Amino acid sequence: MGRDKSTGELVQGTLDMLVLKTLTRGSQHGWGIAQFIHEISDDVLRVEEGSLYPALHRMELDGLIASEWGLSENNRRAKFYKLTAAGRKRLATEAESWNRLSGAIARVMQTA
Amino acid sequence: MKWLGKAALRIRGLLRRPQLDRDLDDELRFHLEMNAAHGKEQKRFGNATAIKEACRDLWTLGSLEVWWQDLRYALRVLRKNPAFTIVAVLTLALGIAANTAIFSVVNGVMLRSLPYPEADRIAMLWTSTPTHGVTERPTSIPNYEDWQTQARSFDELAFYADFNHGILAGTDVAESEMVWYTWTSPNFFRALGVKPELGRAPTDEEFAHADRVIVVGHALWQRQFGGSPTVLGRVINLNNIDFRVIGVMPPGVHFPEARLEAWAPATASRWWSEYRMNRGRGAVSVFGRLRAGVNMQQARAEMTTLAAALEKQFPLANGMSSVNLVPLSVQVLGTTVPFMLAILLGAVAFVLLIACANVANLLLARGAARQQELAMRTALGASRARLIRQMLTESAVLALIAACVGLPLAAWGVDLLVRLGPQSIPRLNTVTIDGRVLLFTIGVSVLAGFLFGLVPALRMPGGEWGKTAKRTRLRGVLVVGEFALAMLLLTGAGLLIRSFLGVLAVDPGFDPKGVLTLRMGFRNPAQIREAMDKIRALPGVQAVGTINGIFFEAGPKAIGVGTFHEVEGRPMEPRDQWKPLVITPNSGEVFRALGMRLLKGRLPDDRDDERSPAVVAINETFARRFWPGENPLGRRFKSTFRTGTMEWITVVGVVQNLRNMGLEKEPVSQMFPSEKQGKPGANLLIRTSTDPLALIAAVRRIVREIDPRSVVWEIATLEQQLADQTAQRRFQAWLLGLFSAIAVVLAGVGIYGLLHYSVAQRTREIGVRMALGARGGDVMRMVLREGMLLAVVGVGVGIVAALALTRLIASLLFGVAPDDALTIGVVATLLLMVASTACYIPARKATRVDPMTALRCD
């Protein structure tokens, strides 16, 4: 599998969740998704293309997102991804378990 | 069904690959352009090809494609080495076929449930006398009725009386025949959970009124009534009783015995009113369906308590009696059959293990030859994991081909097993290769494939285990293992074969040669005498007589000098000292027909009839028990067997013991009254100086002339009957013998293959030795030593394992100890002889190495 383990890379499940969350704002192409996550996270989260595109294709195969070709803001042909109903459902469950997890970690960090 | 959609997407991806590739390119190029437009560094993008590769794999069955490549490659490799492939496939096919065949039997006989709904909730309830080791006795009707009213653990408690047979006749019956039937409680079919396919079961009212109604089996209905629905309401005559047919059971319902074909309410029987009053008379076999939420343990506990209360209440009739609950499946199967099947299953597993070791060995040998190829592929970038996977694919393909070859072989084996298997294996005739067996075969093959494929795969170049020396050592270990397993199997088979021969050598106490046995049914039993006289007059016939059975499997009545029996001049014996006694009324010249010797006195005959004093001949065991060292002639004891009331019986003769409990058990006490002073004898024995089977036609003619409605059945020679006694042993010994023979051959092939390869590899070394003056004999000794060392170590390990494991089959042995030195010695010698033969061929080849050629070949 030979995954690059550099810092700042997102755990796979987390990346899926962030992508799904990003797509709740409307359909977006791959670059846009990466850019959005990067900016909103104040440059903390960096989405590697090597992870992003396989993840997008996998989620598409799983039916969590759908794709169609369209024109980008600079009038280039680009592949746009949008959320499906299944994706929305998955996001809800993932977000919930994330919140539970991060809350738990936060509580432990505060007290211990 | 999600995976189905995914699979469809992937197949589409595979078909539209160029389009997909273009799209991927476009998508990534767009990303790069956007990066450029926003001034991002290009090098951060990483390996575009790798990304594309990763995405494409997702779409196009990536892994499946590789797998397909592996598969094609494996097939090509196997095709290129036909000799290797054939040997490996045949070896494995043999192992797989043996496993499949035996598993089919296990599946059909043990795993498939009985053809009754929730059959696992049905249990037999026997009366038992634990102190005498009697575990399954019939129950008296008063006791059954008390159980039924008091027991809470069962939805239904039903019974059948000991099954019976009688002549089926009647104006509507196609042809008179002997039919097995039983008397039942009204809830018999309810408890069993079966419904008639036509008509109905008897009602409680019919039972209460003792109505003569009957339910018949499917096969009987087809045979005698052509399957016509008008059978309902017709009258048939069974054992001289007219019954009205009220129902037909569907096929497969034969409870409680395979040959049973008719069921009538017990109240319609001749004995009902008498037995119903007699708490001491075991009359019926009880079975019940557990109430929901109650398990066997709870039911057993309740019944034990209940029986203890009944024993206390009726100490005379129920003394020392308890209840023994046996799940129906266990009852049907018995205890010996599962054990025997487990042993056979173990044996075939060993055979398969040896086959696997052999193939692993072949693969290792070939692995050495393939080292160059593998090294090349490694150099070209194939990862170790990839190569292991490739080799495992090869093994799996090999195993599955072997399964395909093995299945027809197994089907043939199953056919043979079903035809040759002993009657004592229940439901053997229903054994087939079904889905579960197929699944088992595939599972076993794949498992075998991994087993023999994994070891060589891990021994590939690149790994630290890839060294030639280690590989050779591993091959040696495999051969040692093969010989150890073969030794173990052969010892087990040897012990069972010796037991079988031991049983064959037992003197049954009679001379079985030239004797025809059969049973005759006349509606007027007196006509049997007429038939016997006419048969006696046939040419070649030397003696004709009847006896009430020869072998008694079920424990006969225990008697002693106690409440029921009393020997003149001896004190009463407590019940726990009672011993079983067989009573066999007989008539005619049965002792001459059996070839039994009279030791003292005379035999009772027709002159000892209803009016004369009761006399019997007794066997040696009987004489030794009560009159050891004395003359038993003229001594008396009390019994009720003649009239049902206690009277004095005089001993007038002593006869040689006959193995009345079967060949493997010591004979028990037996007495032989004349038929006129006991029940009429049931088995007709005809001793002839000619071929007994040639008499059958004449006997049938005589019987039919006397009464066209009479029947003759259970025709066999006494030799056949004797052979039936040993059928299970013969089956067991043959099968284990066969499996161990396969094991020995495979082990021989294994050691041969190892040495053959070793000699081929050492051609140069041998050439040098010979050039330096070694003689053919030296070379031969060297090769033989290499092989025989492995064989000897293997046999040694096998002996140790055999000493530890043969104790498990001690209960199957007869007249031989599980650590019998002779058997182990003979078997070890045999195995070493096979090994030396197998070693001799390559050793011989080594001596033919021409030093010049060997040294020249580079």
Side-chain angles (χ1 to χ4, degrees):
Chain A
M1 283 284 124
R3 180 87 61 87
D4 182 5
K5 295 223 173 71
S6 64
T7 50
E9 191 186 339
L10 288 158
V11 190
Q12 188 182 356
T14 325
L15 175 62
D16 288 6
M17 184 176 71
L18 293 181
V19 169
L20 290 172
K21 179 73 187 168
T22 307
L23 288 178
T24 54
R25 299 166 49 88
S27 68
Q28 185 58 275
H29 45 68
W31 189 83
I33 294 169
Q35 197 62 19
F36 177 80
I37 293 173
H38 188 66
E39 279 168 14
I40 294 299
S41 68
D42 288 334
D43 298 353
V44 173
L45 296 177
R46 205 171 57 214
V47 183
E48 299 284 348
E49 296 82 356
S51 316
L52 176 65
Y53 284 97
L56 283 171
H57 285 250
R58 186 168 28 76
M59 285 194 282
E60 189 182 352
L61 266 170
D62 288 347
L64 299 177
I65 55 179
S67 73
E68 58 187 358
W69 289 88
L71 286 180
S72 69
E73 46 272 44
N74 54 356
N75 269 337
R76 300 291 315 242
R77 200 173 96 93
K79 196 178 177 188
F80 281 83
Y81 294 91
K82 67 173 186 220
L83 217 49
T84 64
R88 233 173 263 285
K89 226 165 32 191
R90 171 71 62 86
L91 175 62
T93 59
E94 297 225 329
E96 196 216 314
S97 72
W98 171 257
N99 286 337
R100 222 179 29 237
L101 184 68
S102 61
I105 292 173
R107 278 195 299 282
V108 172
M109 294 308 287
Q110 277 159 14
T111 51
Chain B
M1 285 292 106
K2 211 170 138 195
W3 62 271
L4 206 70
K6 252 193 223 183
L9 272 175
R10 288 190 173 171
I11 288 164
R12 207 186 62 193
L14 200 63
L15 297 175
R16 293 182 26 212
R17 192 158 181 167
Q19 174 69 36
L20 196 79
D21 280 345
R22 270 199 303 281
D23 282 358
L24 253 173
D25 280 344
D26 284 356
E27 193 176 8
L28 294 177
R29 193 176 321 115
F30 170 75
H31 193 106
L32 288 174
E33 281 170 14
M34 290 299 276
N35 271 354
H38 289 76
K40 301 233 170 181
E41 298 166 52
Q42 281 307 335
K43 65 176 176 197
R44 285 250 339 263
F45 189 83
N47 186 343
T49 320
I51 296 175
K52 267 194 269 183
E53 208 45 47
C55 294
R56 197 186 294 129
D57 273 3
L58 283 173
W59 285 99
T60 60
L61 302 153
S63 53
L64 216 62
E65 239 177 325
V66 174
W67 187 81
W68 175 238
Q69 267 177 23
D70 281 355
L71 188 70
R72 277 195 332 213
Y73 184 78
L75 285 171
R76 200 161 60 229
V77 168
L78 292 178
R79 220 176 19 239
K80 264 194 343 205
N81 301 285
F84 161 80
T85 309
I86 288 170
V87 172
V89 163
L90 284 184
T91 304
L92 283 173
L94 218 54
I96 290 171
N99 275 272
T100 303
I102 294 298
F103 180 77
S104 303
V105 176
V106 172
N107 178 45
V109 172
M110 289 177 67
L111 301 182
R112 224 156 1 129
S113 53
L114 295 167
Y116 312 113
E118 294 187 83
D120 56 329
R121 302 197 58 76
I122 306 178
M124 299 293 307
L125 290 85
W126 297 103
T127 296
S128 63
T129 315
T131 38
H132 289 160
V134 177
T135 52
E136 296 176 4
R137 271 201 297 135
T139 302
S140 70
I141 295 163
N143 276 344
Y144 159 75
E145 285 175 341
D146 283 340
W147 291 359
Q148 201 188 19
T149 46
Q150 292 172 33
R152 295 276 150 266
S153 302
F154 298 91
D155 274 338
E156 302 280 356
L157 269 185
F159 73 76
Y160 58 87
D162 267 353
F163 27 92
N164 226 315
H165 52 78
I167 301 173
L168 175 72
T171 43
D172 295 334
V173 168
E175 195 188 349
S176 291
E177 62 169 332
M178 195 52 71
V179 165
W180 271 256
Y181 64 97
T182 191
W183 303 102
T184 68
S185 59
N187 58 352
F188 178 86
F189 294 112
R190 268 205 306 280
L192 212 51
V194 292
K195 289 200 170 71
E197 62 177 336
L198 189 71
R200 56 180 180 80
T203 61
D204 292 359
E205 288 71 42
E206 280 167 332
F207 187 82
H209 297 142
D211 283 347
R212 292 181 165 179
V213 292
I214 199 162
V215 174
V216 300
H218 182 85
L220 177 69
W221 176 47
Q222 294 292 329
R223 214 166 50 230
Q224 294 284 10
F225 302 96
S228 160
T230 60
V231 65
L232 298 181
R234 292 219 206 164
V235 172
I236 60 172
N237 183 287
L238 192 53
N239 232 1
N240 287 333
I241 303 176
D242 282 336
F243 290 97
R244 191 160 43 87
V245 177
I246 56 165
V248 177
M249 276 293 148
V253 175
H254 295 293
F255 196 75
E257 227 219 4
R259 55 187 176 181
L260 215 86
E261 294 193 291
W263 302 265
T267 43
S269 70
R270 296 187 181 93
W271 45 260
W272 176 260
S273 47
E274 182 196 336
Y275 289 176
R276 194 171 175 208
M277 297 298 127
N278 188 347
R279 197 173 282 272
R281 179 66 162 84
V284 296
S285 304
V286 182
F287 66 100
R289 187 172 274 280
L290 288 178
R291 196 177 291 268
V294 177
N295 63 29
M296 286 285 171
Q297 264 88 21
Q298 293 162 331
R300 192 168 285 138
E302 190 202 1
M303 290 313 294
T304 310
T305 318
L306 217 157
L310 283 175
E311 186 190 352
K312 202 170 275 172
Q313 202 179 342
F314 306 99
L316 198 66
N318 288 344
M320 310 180 82
S321 292
S322 187
V323 181
N324 177 24
L325 236 74
V326 184
L328 186 60
S329 54
V330 176
Q331 185 82 47
V332 169
L333 213 51
T335 46
T336 56
V337 169
F339 188 45
M340 178 180 85
L341 289 180
I343 284 172
L344 289 177
L345 211 54
V348 288
F350 280 177
V351 170
L352 187 63
L353 270 181
I354 296 177
C356 283
N358 246 347
V359 176
N361 234 332
L362 283 171
L363 282 172
L364 278 173
R366 210 189 41 153
R370 278 177 80 183
Q371 250 174 351
Q372 278 197 335
E373 171 209 333
L374 295 176
M376 174 84 85
R377 295 190 62 193
T378 312
L380 288 175
S383 68
R384 201 169 134 71
R386 182 80 178 68
L387 286 184
I388 288 179
R389 185 170 144 177
Q390 165 66 51
M391 297 197 65
L392 282 182
T393 307
E394 251 178 74
S395 316
V397 169
L398 208 55
L400 287 176
I401 293 175
C404 293
V405 176
L407 262 181
L409 203 61
W412 178 73
V414 167
D415 193 47
L416 221 61
L417 288 177
V418 171
R419 268 191 295 130
L420 302 183
Q423 300 281 312
S424 55
I425 300 183
R427 300 203 287 159
L428 186 63
N429 55 344
T430 67
V431 166
T432 49
I433 293 188
D434 61 8
R436 183 149 38 172
V437 174
L438 283 180
L439 225 72
F440 171 85
T441 306
I442 293 169
V444 160
S445 318
V446 169
L447 192 74
F450 274 92
L451 216 60
F452 68 72
L454 200 61
V455 177
L458 291 175
R459 297 288 145 116
M460 279 188 320
E464 57 142 343
W465 285 9
K467 310 272 182 342
T468 310
K470 294 213 171 176
R471 187 184 291 123
T472 310
R473 197 180 316 150
L474 180 70
R475 299 195 56 198
V477 169
L478 284 174
V479 167
V480 166
E482 284 182 42
F483 269 83
L485 285 177
M487 179 68 205
L488 190 56
L489 262 184
L490 210 52
T491 309
L495 289 172
L496 285 175
I497 289 171
R498 279 201 62 187
S499 303
F500 172 54
L501 294 178
V503 174
L504 282 189
V506 168
D507 176 9
F510 56 83
D511 173 16
K513 281 195 200 66
V515 180
L516 186 72
T517 82
L518 50 87
R519 305 182 72 173
M520 294 198 278
F522 287 97
R523 285 178 299 169
N524 171 11
Q527 286 173 320
I528 289 186
R529 284 309 176 101
E530 191 185 337
M532 281 169 67
D533 290 342
K534 286 187 170 163
I535 292 168
R536 182 69 178 85
L538 287 172
V541 172
Q542 296 168 325
V544 176
T546 67
I547 191 166
N548 241 15
I550 295 172
F551 297 118
F552 298 84
E553 303 286 348
K557 236 180 169 167
I559 73 125
V561 197
T563 327
F564 297 115
H565 293 82
E566 184 185 334
V567 172
E568 204 173 16
R570 281 177 68 95
M572 295 288 194
E573 281 181 347
R575 257 190 208 236
D576 57 2
Q577 283 179 23
W578 292 9
K579 292 272 167 31
L581 168 72
V582 180
I583 304 173
T584 33
N586 59 85
S587 73
E589 311 150 295
V590 74
F591 289 94
R592 259 189 78 197
L594 278 170
M596 273 172 73
R597 268 183 300 127
L598 175 70
L599 301 177
K600 272 193 188 99
R602 68 171 183 98
L603 298 165
D605 55 33
D606 282 359
R607 285 163 300 182
D608 303 305
D609 60 10
E610 300 86 342
R611 287 178 301 277
S612 55
V615 294
V616 293
I618 58 173
N619 71 348
E620 297 164 87
T621 307
F622 198 138
R624 269 199 299 270
R625 172 156 155 73
F626 292 116
W627 301 283
E630 299 170 46
N631 183 1
L633 295 187
R635 308 299 286 263
R636 301 198 301 168
F637 63 97
K638 269 186 175 172
S639 173
T640 59
F641 81 86
R642 177 158 83 148
T643 52
T645 53
M646 204 61 87
E647 63 178 333
W648 284 109
I649 317 280
T650 309
V651 176
V652 294
V654 180
V655 296
Q656 175 198 4
N657 264 348
L658 119 100
R659 290 260 165 173
N660 47 26
M661 299 301 282
L663 290 177
E664 300 185 24
K665 294 200 187 103
E666 284 302 316
V668 300
S669 297
Q670 187 167 15
M671 62 187 202
F672 303 90
S674 142
E675 178 193 277
K676 300 222 160 155
Q677 295 189 340
K679 279 196 304 183
N683 298 63
L684 187 75
L685 299 171
I686 309 166
R687 177 169 289 279
T688 166
S689 57
T690 55
D691 174 16
L693 291 173
L695 277 180
I696 296 174
V699 170
R700 277 188 193 283
R701 204 181 50 242
I702 288 171
V703 168
R704 203 156 298 149
E705 272 168 20
I706 294 170
D707 178 1
R709 284 269 157 103
S710 60
V711 288
V712 174
W713 81 105
E714 278 185 10
I715 304 171
T717 63
L718 202 50
E719 281 182 304
Q720 283 167 345
Q721 277 202 2
L722 196 61
D724 286 348
Q725 287 284 312
T726 52
Q728 186 157 333
R729 272 206 181 278
R730 176 177 293 120
F731 181 71
Q732 210 165 261
W734 266 110
L735 275 185
L736 261 187
L738 176 70
F739 294 146
S740 44
I742 295 175
V744 170
V745 169
L746 290 182
V749 168
I751 202 163
Y752 166 81
L754 177 86
L755 284 190
H756 181 81
Y757 167 77
S758 154
V759 167
Q761 252 197 345
R762 292 163 69 185
T763 305
R764 277 189 69 178
E765 179 204 326
I766 294 169
V768 172
R769 280 175 189 267
M770 290 183 79
L772 292 178
R775 307 226 177 151
D778 301 328
V779 172
M780 185 174 237
R781 261 195 297 283
M782 179 186 80
V783 177
L784 277 179
R785 196 183 305 124
E786 180 188 344
M788 290 311 286
L789 185 68
L790 296 177
V792 168
V793 172
V795 167
V797 173
I799 288 175
V800 173
L803 287 177
L805 287 179
T806 48
R807 236 174 305 141
L808 295 178
I809 58 165
S811 64
L812 292 180
L813 301 183
F814 180 85
V816 56
D819 55 354
D820 181 57
L822 181 65
T823 307
I824 292 178
V826 167
V827 158
T829 313
L830 180 74
L831 199 51
L832 289 176
M833 268 161 60
V834 169
S836 53
T837 314
C839 293
Y840 177 75
I841 305 166
R844 185 68 195 277
K845 197 178 152 205
T847 63
R848 301 230 184 85
V849 168
D850 175 9
M852 292 318 288
T853 330
L855 291 175
R856 226 181 284 128
C857 79
D858 258 323

